[in-house]
Amino acid sequence: MEPRSEQIHQTLQQLKRKTEQQEDQLYAIKQQQIQLEYTETELRHIEREKENLIAQAHDVWRGNHGRSVAYDAEDTAHESWRKLRKHIESTREQLQQEQKTIQSS
């Protein structure tokens, strides 16, 4: 092969390898996004169960102390849920940013 032709061939091979690496990275990000969506679905299910348990706790605990415990548990659960949602959204944004970066390159 001519030197110019060999250089072009090597450049094409490098571009092909880089493209394959980026495709692999995009695939990995897509898998993480799918896992995140699955996790969100599971968390919504858990949230519904938690709400049912809190409602039952309000029904069962009649006295002032019981109500206080139920409301404290409810507040703690809501705070934990809020923090978890914030973390999930942060993860989603990070994955989307990584995906955009890879696609733009």
Side-chain angles (χ1 to χ4, degrees):
M1 261 189 217
E2 295 180 23
R4 177 77 178 139
S5 185
E6 180 64 29
Q7 184 182 14
I8 292 171
H9 180 71
Q10 288 177 356
T11 303
L12 287 173
Q13 291 298 327
Q14 290 173 347
L15 288 173
K16 183 179 178 181
R17 281 192 295 274
K18 185 176 180 179
T19 300
E20 289 173 353
Q21 288 174 341
Q22 289 174 334
E23 288 173 353
D24 289 344
Q25 290 172 335
L26 284 173
Y27 179 78
I29 289 171
K30 289 284 187 190
Q31 292 302 310
Q32 289 175 331
Q33 289 172 332
I34 289 168
Q35 182 62 39
L36 185 62
E37 289 174 12
Y38 172 77
T39 301
E40 285 181 294
T41 301
E42 289 296 309
L43 288 173
R44 281 192 293 276
H45 177 72
I46 291 169
E47 176 67 9
R48 283 191 301 272
E49 288 180 7
K50 178 197 71 155
E51 293 295 330
N52 288 337
L53 288 172
I54 289 173
Q56 289 174 5
H58 282 292
D59 290 341
V60 171
W61 293 335
R62 297 273 181 225
N64 286 337
H65 177 70
R67 285 191 190 114
S68 175
V69 170
Y71 285 121
D72 287 346
E74 186 175 14
D75 290 343
T76 301
H78 285 301
E79 180 64 21
S80 296
W81 180 252
R82 188 188 63 74
K83 287 178 182 178
L84 187 57
R85 291 298 310 160
K86 187 176 179 180
H87 177 71
I88 287 172
E89 287 304 316
S90 173
T91 303
R92 179 188 314 286
E93 289 172 11
Q94 179 185 0
L95 288 172
Q96 288 174 344
Q97 186 60 37
E98 286 179 29
Q99 184 178 20
K100 287 179 184 178
T101 301
I102 291 169
Q103 287 174 337
S104 67
S105 67

